[in-house]
Amino acid sequence: MATTSTPPPKTNRIGLSVLDYRGGKTTLCAGCGHNAISERIIDAMYEMGVKPERVAKLSGIGCSSKTPAYFMNRAHSFNAVHGRMPSVATGAVLANSHLMALGVSGDGDTASIGIGQFVHLMRRNLPVIYIIEDNGVYGLTKGQFSATADLGSKLKTGVINDLPPIDTCALTILLGATFVGRSFCGDKRQLHGMMKAAIAHRGTVMLDVISPCVTFNDHEGSTKSYKYMKDHDEPLQEINFVPVFEEIAVDYDPGTTVEVTMHDGSHLRLRKLEEDYDPTDKTGAIKRLMEAHEKNQVLTGVLYVNTQAPTFLDMLNMTDDPLATLPQEVVRPPKDVLDKVMEEQR
Ligand SMILES: Cc1ncc(C[n+]2csc(CCOP(=O)(O)OP(=O)(O)O)c2C)c(N)n1
Ligand code: SF4
Ligand SMILES: [Mg+2]
């Protein structure tokens, strides 16, 4: 008699199924952009075959900062104080350089209360993937404008924002982040490619992902709504990422493609939609962002990438073995050496 059996789940190159990358059930509002970003993180980590136990999820406070609970429940996790995730991330990476640090924050957590810590993280080129789930408001505290809200954007109550926004991409390109991109949670394909490249990058990745707050900032007059993004999204490139463990199939006309070789040998292919856009040109990237603001465009894609800059770990000349794993006899001078130092002070 024939028996029916369910086929074994599909697995990645380290033998894990996508279920191994899942987390708790989301408690965010249905349709919140942040949920779509969690899904892209799950897909990218699964496809890149990242061991969940190697990942340290870090966040601050906000709806966005709650999301690490909704993916990769086998990873390490630290929910820091509001706006203070960068210092926790720095400490974690310095103590254990083998961890892959994944910071998830909001526009309020980053650009309002957290701006002081954020700017110093960005100028160090610490290996960390820092994602801003950007909805232009403090969703968790019921929708006040954040520092990324655009000039003239309107709240549900009719209040108009009369302050200019902080462009986190222009700011972090200037500060020294080495992989800077902007995407939209509704652009599954683009965000997916960018996430995978972010995983392959060694240095600071800053991804600003426009992620509409359906409850407080998705109405007519908001510049961070699904409709506004659909009408004003200006993609710079078509992104194709080929991980080092996959065979490279040439599918782009080389004349219109920029290819970046990542630290692990993976290839990031950017088919230019704008002929003159060069993502390795820092000044050009900032200029193009400024021009987009003037035209009310939201420029998306890989805005800047630099795979040559030394990381904070290189600059500090850290040991290959993580500090956290070094035994006492290595990190602590023996008693006779300490006695000698004390003797010299007398
Ligand atoms: C020190 C401190 N100040 C203020 C608050 C209140 N608070 C909680 S979340 C938040 C803003 C969160 O906004 P954002 O980072 O954009 O996250 P979102 O909820 O929009 O995803 C504020 C002001 C707090 N928790 N702690
Ligand atoms: S309040 Fe806004 S940001 Fe928070 S979960 Fe709901 S839709 Fe998302
Ligand atoms: Mg927000």
Side-chain angles (χ1 to χ4, degrees):
M1 195 173 66
T3 54
T4 51
S5 61
T6 39
K10 225 177 114 192
T11 56
N12 62 10
R13 68 195 177 105
I14 59 165
L16 298 180
S17 88
V18 75
L19 295 177
D20 296 305
Y21 293 81
R22 296 218 158 267
K25 193 172 177 319
T26 179
T27 59
L28 302 185
C29 308
C32 174
H34 302 350
N35 286 327
I37 302 173
S38 298
E39 289 300 319
R40 297 296 77 73
I41 294 173
I42 290 171
D43 292 347
M45 290 284 183
Y46 164 73
E47 283 180 29
M48 292 292 284
V50 177
K51 196 171 173 216
E53 290 78 3
R54 229 196 98 204
V55 175
K57 302 180 290 183
L58 303 139
S59 64
I61 301 289
C63 298
S64 34
S65 293
K66 283 168 68 179
T67 64
Y70 314 137
F71 59 84
M72 291 180 94
N73 59 10
R74 285 169 51 175
H76 305 275
S77 198
F78 196 108
N79 193 203
V81 182
H82 198 17
R84 271 62 176 172
M85 177 259 277
S87 51
V88 178
T90 308
V93 173
L94 290 186
N96 190 345
S97 53
H98 288 187
L99 287 175
M100 178 184 288
L102 172 65
V104 181
S105 181
D107 41 302
D109 194 62
T110 295
S112 298
I113 194 170
I115 192 79
Q117 295 219 347
F118 178 66
V119 292
H120 290 286
L121 178 71
M122 293 296 137
R123 59 194 275 271
R124 290 183 172 149
N125 202 23
L126 183 85
V128 60
I129 302 170
Y130 191 106
I131 299 172
I132 305 177
E133 301 191 340
D134 190 353
N135 51 21
V137 289
Y138 305 160
L140 190 74
T141 54
K142 299 194 183 299
Q144 304 84 352
F145 281 129
S146 79
T148 69
D150 293 303
L151 194 63
S153 187
K154 200 200 269 182
L155 281 186
K156 254 181 160 178
T157 53
V159 175
I160 306 278
N161 181 39
D162 50 13
L163 290 172
I166 291 176
D167 184 327
T168 53
C169 290
L171 180 70
T172 54
I173 293 171
L174 204 63
L175 286 168
T178 49
F179 190 114
V180 177
R182 175 165 281 137
S183 191
F184 167 44
C185 70
D187 189 341
K188 195 170 167 176
R189 217 175 118 89
Q190 184 194 56
L191 185 54
H192 185 61
M194 269 164 67
M195 286 279 189
K196 290 206 285 186
I199 292 170
H201 185 71
R202 195 169 151 73
T204 302
V205 175
M206 202 296 294
L207 299 182
D208 180 72
V209 187
I210 310 297
S211 173
C213 168
V214 288
T215 305
F216 298 110
N217 203 18
D218 196 35
H219 48 271
E220 188 71 40
S222 158
T223 59
K224 299 268 194 282
S225 64
Y226 280 107
K227 174 148 191 341
Y228 188 91
M229 276 307 290
K230 280 191 182 123
D231 295 345
H232 294 79
D233 186 355
E234 191 69 21
L236 279 169
Q237 319 103 345
E238 274 174 26
I239 297 175
N240 185 16
F241 178 78
V242 188
V244 70
F245 49 86
E246 266 176 28
E247 216 172 286
I248 298 172
V250 180
D251 55 356
Y252 281 142
D253 175 356
T256 61
T257 305
V258 180
E259 181 153 315
V260 184
T261 306
M262 308 302 289
H263 298 91
D264 63 354
S266 304
H267 292 261
L268 172 63
R269 288 206 173 134
L270 305 167
R271 193 171 81 87
K272 291 198 214 178
L273 296 183
E274 288 192 17
E275 279 308 308
D276 58 350
Y277 194 78
D278 172 8
T280 63
D281 172 8
K282 200 174 210 178
T283 317
I286 294 173
K287 183 166 173 278
R288 188 61 191 85
L289 274 168
M290 295 303 107
E291 287 167 359
H293 281 299
E294 280 163 20
K295 293 185 207 154
N296 283 334
Q297 293 172 337
V298 185
L299 211 56
T300 60
V302 177
L303 299 161
Y304 178 65
V305 57
N306 174 359
T307 55
Q308 308 302 318
T311 69
F312 196 44
L313 298 171
D314 301 327
M315 287 181 242
L316 293 178
N317 200 16
M318 295 294 278
T319 52
D320 289 341
D321 289 331
L323 292 185
T325 64
L326 296 179
Q328 285 277 324
E329 24 331 337
V330 174
V331 289
R332 193 175 179 161
K335 189 170 180 312
D336 56 321
V337 174
L338 286 176
D339 288 346
K340 197 161 165 252
V341 171
M342 293 308 284
E343 202 51 50
E344 282 165 8
Q345 303 308 313
R346 283 185 197 198

